[in-house]
Amino acid sequence: MAEYNRPQSEAEFNENFKDKTPLMNDTQAHYESSRCLFCYDAPCMNACPTAIDIPLFIKKINTGNIDGAAQTIYDSNWIGNACGTVCPTGVLCEGACVYNKQSVPAVQIGKLQNFATRHVIDNNKKLFEAGKDNGKKIAIIGGGPAGISCACELRKMGYTADIFEAKDKPSGLTVYGIAPYKITNEEVLDEVKYLQEQLGFNIKYNSPISSKDQLEQIEKDYDAVFIGVGLGPTAFRNIPGEDKSGIIGAVEFVEDLRMNHHKTNVGKEVIILGGGNTAMDAASESARMGATKVILAYRGSKEKMGAYDFEYELAISSGIKSVFDANPKEFLGEDSVEGVKFSRADGSEFTINCDMVIKATGQAKMGSFFKLIDNMETDESSRIKVNKKNNQTSNPKYFAGGDAINGGAEVVNAAYDGKLAALGIHKWLNE
Amino acid sequence: MPDLSIDFAGIKSPNPFWLASAPPTNSGYQVMKAYDAGWGGAVWKTLGMPTINVSSRYAATNYRDTRISGFSNIELISDRPLEDNLREMREVTKRFPNHATIASLMVDTREQWIDIIKMVEDAGANGIELNFGCPHGMCERGMGSAVGQDPKALKTIVEWVMDAASIPVITKLSPNISHITDPGIAAVEAKTDAISLINTIKSIVGIDLDSYAPYPVVDGKGTNGGYCGPAVKPIAMHMLKELKKHPLIKDTPISGIGGIENWRDVVEYILLGATSVQVCTAAMHYGFGIVRGMEDGLKRFMSEKGYNTIYDFAGKALPNVMEWKDLNLKYDVKANINSDKCIGCDLCYIACDDGAHQAIALPTDGSRIPSIIEENCVGCNLCSLVCPVEECITMVQKDDGTKHNTWQQLTDSEEIPCTWNDDRAGGKGHYVPEPIKALESVRKDRSGARAK
Ligand SMILES: Cc1cc2nc3c(=O)[nH]c(=O)nc-3n(C[C@H](O)[C@H](O)[C@H](O)COP(=O)(O)OP(=O)(O)OC[C@H]3O[C@@H](n4cnc5c(N)ncnc54)[C@H](O)[C@@H]3O)c2cc1C
Ligand SMILES: Cc1cc2nc3c(=O)[nH]c(=O)nc-3n(C[C@H](O)[C@H](O)[C@H](O)COP(=O)(O)O)c2cc1C
Ligand code: SF4
Ligand code: SF4
Ligand code: SF4
């Protein structure tokens, strides 16, 4: 599998991880926007979790009103640029485009979205203003897409919005989790900076909230609280040998990769456990990091995999192999992992050698943190329960959104949740 | 924040976007829906003499994959009972008192005009528009464009109306006439409060190749239709400019109509002096929602340029629309190809070689990126118009901007070329290849090659 050589420098890393579909130029945007039919009650718009008025913003691009197009996007979705890049558009807006019905390629909505948002970000166009200070303060725990989106919407209405973020960068998994060939760190951070400069929310970095005392202080200082903490680290699977070195969780692996690029340690022969989108990402990423053998091992059948087809195709196209009906039984080796023993449904067993294992088998929930908050109910999978109309939890002072309530979805869902919660907070405080 | 509200000859409206008198304003339901969507006004579908419509009423010209680049109809004025229209109009004007609800009218005798004006005034109309434009059906009965084409008759009717009406009157002109200023002057002389234009243009948009009848086909036959939509915008804008430049007409407010679909169209109409715009085809194609893009675009344009109201820039293009004889003959532009952007379609080469001035050379290095032969380039723009890449061919000014000479100045100083082979003629000395070169051209026409 010699598709990719191990990157030795930042430049080689960038080459291996470069975006397959870069930003549109003016001509592309013009032709592509001309194709939109301006459907009534547009299916694309209905398929967008944030309900961006897609035909309207495309029409604006087509008539040279790029700023207006970006405004339309941000009016519905504060993470508009990142979403244009990382959304699985094929199963969302573009998947719903009416052109699909005639086997004509769908309008490239995501790319057009980026064309507009990057235009305003790169040219620092002022589109937003904070609302008049209303004297009320909202605390936001977690500065991922959900938290940022909530902060933006609150600022527009005149609230003070203080984000408490455990890490030293904003954007959560958009910067620590999503595959680097989908979006770069700079692009994510540029968007947050662009929004923050105009709307003026505060982010307190390196400020994890983890104790009852901290929460009590926050409750005292703030009129309402939004929880957007996402999910925890990769869950432990309790498989014999799991503590050997060379076995790492997918989220931890991607975080390492996003932060350290070519300096990330990747084995020669890598086994990825799992069948979801995260597994596909980890497989593609290992291949791009120059692993000579990457094997995706999923315990069910190909059809049962949770990953989108296009993510699987992408992984396959970067040269990985897959085995199905492979349930990990034991990690073999002395101190560091040397292989994985799998069992099949019929009880038979087989072993695959490797020098690294990436577990893309699901992230832990933040159950113990949630328990610190009085009367805040969670469901059987430790997801915070909310009222779908306003994202309010059973403790009325607390609102929540993003992966923390849905157990792990997309950035666009977090963007929607944050905004919905902000509107919910506003309504609740003004009742 | 720019203020889009207007006072058009006494008709107040929250913005300059009005629906033209046509199917989108056929009923109170539609007009209310439009106001709710953001339209500032609506000219009700023409009320007047009772009519019967044919079924199969519209046809269109499609340009490649673009649907409805032009639109044609053979529909008459409203065929709904007057009573229903008036009741709905009353409801609309009550519910939306600050919008511009305008009654379009077309009747025959003086008595009928007086009667119907009274009725729409009672229904709360904020203004009246006189339909002298319909170019099919109604004109065969001596109304519509039959009046629009006869300035004398038009003047008489406008006088009757001005006598009878107590609300502002807009005279809507037909473009089916050689000099739009003739009916324009007649309307102004009869003291109309305002003018709107254009109504539809007589047309045949196509012939069905099986029935040999023009579209839209009605039981194997057809008739001329009225043409509108994006295709007619240039014609309408020229007529607007003719009126706005005419000393007798220029101070009369004009509502611009014809092919308006987005904010750019609106800005262009306003720059030519229109102070309200009306839309029919685009609303029929995409529904009322298009007004949002129009409003946002117009507001942004105004903010960027620092205009507070549309009156700040209305007519700003008019002083720049000159007669040809007053254009600077010393101004000199030449095409420039940005080779980084060029995709090598060579359309510019063939357009210039076959259709213009043989000023583009094909490359000899196999790159397909052509180059401009500056000495031959007359700056006609053709290549930049055919180039499919945005901003790839640009026209660059070559003179230093200090020299100025016009045909008029040459005429005044008796320096115009006046003999058949006058040295002072423009093309003198301009390089043109010898005719025989045509048969040695670099890249042979492929079909020709096959025929041999
Ligand atoms: C490997 C991987 C690939 C993905 N790829 C895609 C993709 O291609 N497209 C897509 O749309 N989505 C993708 N997702 C999903 C997407 O990243 C998430 O759905 C989204 O980021 C959720 O946003 P959030 O704000 O809810 O949580 P997060 O992004 O997880 O943000 C939570 C934030 O809260 C902070 N935090 C946590 N606990 C505390 C605390 N106690 N105190 C203070 N701060 C705290 C964290 O540091 C973090 O910054 C992917 C996810 C993963 C794991
Ligand atoms: C189907 C149809 C019916 C029309 N009916 C009327 C009418 O009843 N009265 C009128 O003054 N103009 C009528 N018009 C003309 C329009 O009001 C308008 O002047 C013309 O369509 C140009 O504008 P547009 O290019 O935006 O369509 C009609 C146009 C169409 C397409
Ligand atoms: S479904 Fe496709 S064609 Fe229709 S409005 Fe959306 S992007 Fe445009
Ligand atoms: S547009 Fe409506 S009225 Fe016209 S033919 Fe179609 S269905 Fe009938
Ligand atoms: S038309 Fe434009 S893209 Fe085509 S060859 Fe000429 S310059 Fe290049």
Side-chain angles (χ1 to χ4, degrees):
Chain A
M1 195 177 93
E3 321 249 338
Y4 295 97
N5 291 324
R6 187 165 297 255
Q8 305 291 347
S9 64
E10 184 67 16
E12 283 175 23
F13 177 87
N14 289 339
E15 182 56 31
N16 282 10
F17 282 86
K18 78 168 177 251
D19 187 354
K20 286 215 157 66
T21 47
L23 195 66
M24 278 183 174
N25 59 36
D26 292 356
T27 308
Q28 286 174 302
H30 179 70
Y31 285 128
E32 195 58 18
S33 61
S34 302
R35 294 179 60 224
C36 174
L37 301 168
F38 204 72
C39 298
Y40 174 68
D41 192 16
C44 52
M45 181 173 168
N46 292 327
C48 171
T50 57
I52 295 175
D53 194 334
I54 292 163
L56 180 64
F57 94 69
I58 295 182
K59 184 77 135 194
K60 287 182 178 179
I61 290 177
N62 195 242
T63 57
N65 181 4
I66 320 291
D67 293 3
Q71 179 103 50
T72 299
I73 294 161
Y74 282 116
D75 277 350
S76 298
N77 182 339
W78 287 111
I79 320 291
N81 185 59
C83 280
T85 313
V86 306
C87 271
T89 51
V91 295
L92 298 173
C93 53
E94 290 173 19
C97 176
V98 294
Y99 276 125
N100 292 304
K101 296 240 158 56
Q102 292 289 320
S103 301
V104 172
V107 174
Q108 294 176 45
I109 300 167
K111 288 277 144 203
L112 285 168
Q113 186 167 319
N114 286 145
F115 177 78
T117 48
R118 280 284 289 276
H119 170 81
V120 294
I121 294 171
D122 294 348
N123 296 297
N124 202 11
K125 297 267 183 168
K126 300 273 173 280
L127 296 185
F128 322 107
E129 243 176 89
K132 210 173 137 267
D133 186 4
N134 63 17
K136 296 206 172 95
K137 293 171 69 183
I138 314 298
I140 293 166
I141 305 179
I148 304 269
S149 162
C150 185
C152 289
E153 194 68 24
L154 287 169
R155 287 299 296 146
K156 252 188 93 179
M157 297 185 288
Y159 291 88
T160 297
D162 292 343
I163 301 177
F164 296 86
E165 168 55 52
K167 302 201 168 161
D168 64 357
K169 288 191 182 63
S171 290
L173 286 176
T174 321
V175 97
Y176 292 109
I178 292 174
Y181 45 81
K182 287 187 189 152
I183 195 161
T184 63
N185 296 6
E186 294 74 47
E187 200 174 344
V188 178
L189 299 177
D190 280 354
E191 183 169 42
V192 177
K193 179 161 164 264
Y194 171 73
L195 295 169
Q196 196 178 7
E197 270 174 13
Q198 293 177 58
L199 290 161
F201 46 86
N202 307 307
I203 310 181
K204 301 175 198 293
Y205 293 111
N206 305 310
S207 312
I209 302 301
S210 49
S211 70
K212 188 90 188 155
D213 290 352
Q214 284 175 307
L215 284 166
E216 274 168 8
Q217 190 61 41
I218 284 179
E219 284 179 29
K220 235 182 262 151
D221 296 346
Y222 294 90
D223 297 282
V225 186
F226 175 78
I227 302 182
V229 292
L231 299 173
T234 304
F236 203 71
R237 305 272 306 166
N238 289 320
I239 299 169
E242 199 170 346
D243 51 359
K244 290 187 202 314
S245 74
I247 302 175
I248 182 173
V251 212
E252 292 72 20
F253 168 68
V254 185
E255 177 168 346
D256 193 8
L257 187 70
R258 285 292 295 259
M259 294 304 121
N260 299 314
H261 285 181
H262 66 278
K263 301 200 189 91
T264 308
N265 197 15
V266 178
K268 285 204 191 70
E269 304 190 338
V270 184
I271 294 177
I272 318 288
L273 303 178
N277 292 318
T278 301
M280 303 307 136
D281 279 3
S284 298
E285 286 155 354
S286 305
R288 283 163 203 252
M289 280 303 286
T292 46
K293 185 174 95 181
V294 178
I295 292 175
L296 181 81
Y298 179 55
R299 63 188 143 85
S301 64
K302 185 173 165 198
E303 293 65 42
K304 279 237 178 81
M305 283 199 307
Y308 297 126
D309 292 347
F310 72 89
E311 296 280 17
Y312 179 62
E313 310 281 309
L314 187 68
I316 291 294
S317 76
S318 52
I320 70 122
K321 301 269 180 302
S322 44
V323 290
F324 299 101
D325 188 13
N327 202 9
K329 277 272 154 234
E330 188 182 346
F331 296 106
L332 309 172
E334 294 291 312
D335 296 339
S336 54
V337 69
E338 287 166 22
V340 182
K341 189 196 274 176
F342 294 96
S343 70
R344 298 196 184 89
D346 63 9
S348 60
E349 293 187 343
F350 62 100
T351 298
I352 302 177
N353 293 339
C354 67
D355 55 8
M356 183 174 185
V357 173
I358 301 176
K359 293 183 292 178
T361 44
Q363 289 167 260
K365 309 291 182 331
M366 301 270 204
S368 53
F369 172 66
F370 300 155
K371 288 206 179 71
L372 298 176
I373 298 161
D374 295 332
N375 302 324
M376 190 175 79
E377 288 175 27
T378 53
D379 67 8
E380 65 290 350
S381 318
S382 292
R383 293 175 297 202
I384 304 172
K385 281 201 210 169
V386 293
N387 174 347
K388 287 267 170 290
K389 287 205 187 81
N390 57 4
N391 277 3
Q392 191 167 30
T393 71
S394 51
N395 177 335
K397 193 160 183 168
Y398 284 83
F399 292 71
D403 283 1
I405 66 167
N406 60 34
E410 314 290 342
V411 171
V412 65
N413 305 98
Y416 172 76
D417 282 343
K419 184 181 169 107
L420 183 71
L423 297 169
I425 289 170
H426 179 63
K427 211 158 165 224
W428 179 65
L429 288 176
N430 288 287
E431 251 165 21
Chain B
M1 200 49 142
D3 173 10
L4 294 191
S5 68
I6 56 167
D7 181 338
F8 182 84
I11 304 171
K12 299 200 173 46
S13 172
N15 63 44
F17 313 119
W18 295 355
L19 286 170
S21 172
T25 58
N26 212 21
S27 65
Y29 165 82
Q30 288 162 292
V31 174
M32 275 214 199
K33 197 175 167 193
Y35 288 172
D36 189 48
W39 294 85
V43 186
W44 209 277
K45 173 74 185 170
T46 305
L47 310 176
M49 305 307 284
T51 59
I52 302 172
N53 270 304
V54 288
S55 112
S56 184
R57 303 178 189 179
Y58 310 145
T61 46
N62 297 332
Y63 186 70
R64 300 231 182 95
D65 59 345
T66 303
R67 298 263 159 179
I68 314 194
S69 51
F71 190 61
S72 175
N73 84 90
I74 55 170
E75 195 171 281
L76 306 184
I77 65 174
S78 180
D79 55 13
R80 301 180 61 221
L82 187 58
E83 196 179 71
D84 293 356
N85 276 305
L86 293 173
R87 178 174 44 76
E88 293 171 12
M89 189 181 290
R90 197 167 293 121
E91 230 178 283
V92 169
T93 54
K94 245 206 196 123
R95 183 70 203 259
F96 289 92
N98 301 321
H99 282 60
T101 307
I102 295 152
S104 170
L105 305 177
M106 184 199 287
V107 286
D108 197 4
T109 66
R110 180 170 193 169
E111 288 64 40
Q112 287 165 347
W113 280 104
I114 293 171
D115 278 356
I116 200 163
I117 287 169
K118 178 87 186 47
M119 288 189 266
V120 297
E121 285 185 350
D122 286 349
N126 305 105
I128 295 169
E129 187 178 83
L130 313 179
N131 178 351
F132 297 141
C134 188
H136 42 79
M138 301 312 291
C139 55
E140 295 166 19
R141 289 162 63 181
M143 291 174 278
S145 66
V147 178
Q149 288 167 335
D150 180 350
K152 250 196 177 139
L154 181 143
K155 188 174 170 197
T156 306
I157 297 178
V158 177
E159 280 167 354
W160 295 344
V161 171
M162 296 315 294
D163 246 6
S166 60
I167 53 178
V169 174
I170 307 168
T171 305
K172 182 171 182 177
L173 300 185
S174 166
N176 297 296
I177 189 161
S178 304
H179 297 287
I180 194 68
T181 42
D182 293 348
I185 293 169
V188 169
E189 282 177 350
K191 303 230 157 25
T192 187
D193 295 301
I195 288 172
S196 60
L197 90 170
I198 61 173
N199 207 307
T200 55
I201 303 174
K202 274 192 190 224
S203 62
I204 287 181
V205 291
I207 302 287
D208 181 76
L209 299 190
D210 294 318
S211 67
Y212 306 136
Y215 294 121
V217 181
V218 181
D219 195 17
K221 308 281 180 224
T223 184
N224 77 270
Y227 200 44
C228 54
V232 310
K233 184 184 135 198
I235 299 165
M237 293 217 296
H238 170 256
M239 291 186 164
L240 169 62
K241 167 243 137 187
E242 285 286 285
L243 298 188
K244 272 290 162 188
K245 291 281 259 191
H246 195 283
L248 293 178
I249 311 168
K250 68 178 181 14
D251 295 326
T252 306
I254 300 185
S255 182
I257 319 169
I260 295 170
E261 163 171 316
N262 61 51
W263 69 273
R264 286 177 173 273
D265 303 328
V266 173
V267 170
E268 290 173 35
Y269 267 85
I270 296 175
L271 286 170
L272 284 171
T275 44
S276 111
V277 291
Q278 298 184 28
V279 176
C280 163
T281 304
M284 292 182 75
H285 192 162
Y286 300 111
F288 298 140
I290 52 162
V291 75
R292 288 183 297 153
M294 289 164 74
E295 182 182 337
D296 184 65
L298 176 60
K299 275 192 183 150
R300 267 172 215 283
F301 169 82
M302 290 171 64
S303 303
E304 238 158 66
K305 304 273 180 186
Y307 298 132
N308 294 320
T309 75
I310 67 157
Y311 302 101
D312 294 348
F313 67 105
K316 240 188 154 66
L318 289 169
N320 296 329
V321 191
M322 323 280 285
E323 285 191 63
W324 188 94
K325 65 180 166 57
D326 295 321
L327 300 179
N328 185 5
L329 297 168
K330 294 293 178 197
Y331 179 67
D332 188 23
V333 292
K334 301 223 180 281
N336 180 62
I337 295 176
N338 180 338
S339 54
D340 291 339
K341 291 194 168 179
C342 172
I343 54 173
C345 68
D346 289 351
L347 281 168
C348 56
Y349 162 75
I350 204 63
C352 188
D353 215 63
D354 287 4
H357 297 90
Q358 301 80 45
I360 298 185
L362 288 175
T364 47
D365 61 1
S367 72
R368 291 191 62 97
I369 299 175
S371 55
I372 304 292
I373 308 165
E374 282 214 359
E375 314 82 271
N376 294 7
C377 175
V378 301
C380 72
N381 295 352
L382 180 64
C383 56
S384 73
L385 300 175
V386 300
C387 179
V389 182
E390 301 284 284
E391 299 282 312
C392 174
I393 301 187
T394 47
M395 304 304 296
V396 181
Q397 184 169 359
K398 293 290 172 176
D399 67 300
D400 61 9
T402 56
K403 296 203 188 70
H404 191 271
N405 210 348
T406 66
W407 182 263
Q408 186 61 52
Q409 286 167 327
L410 290 178
T411 311
D412 295 345
S413 57
E414 294 182 4
E415 284 174 61
I416 50 169
C418 42
T419 62
W420 294 127
N421 299 306
D422 204 310
D423 279 351
R424 293 169 297 186
K428 174 76 185 180
H430 188 89
Y431 168 81
V432 170
E434 289 304 319
I436 194 68
K437 281 255 185 203
L439 307 183
E440 304 158 7
S441 92
V442 192
R443 213 181 278 166
K444 283 278 192 289
D445 179 287
R446 288 204 207 97
S447 55
R450 242 202 328 271
K452 281 178 210 151

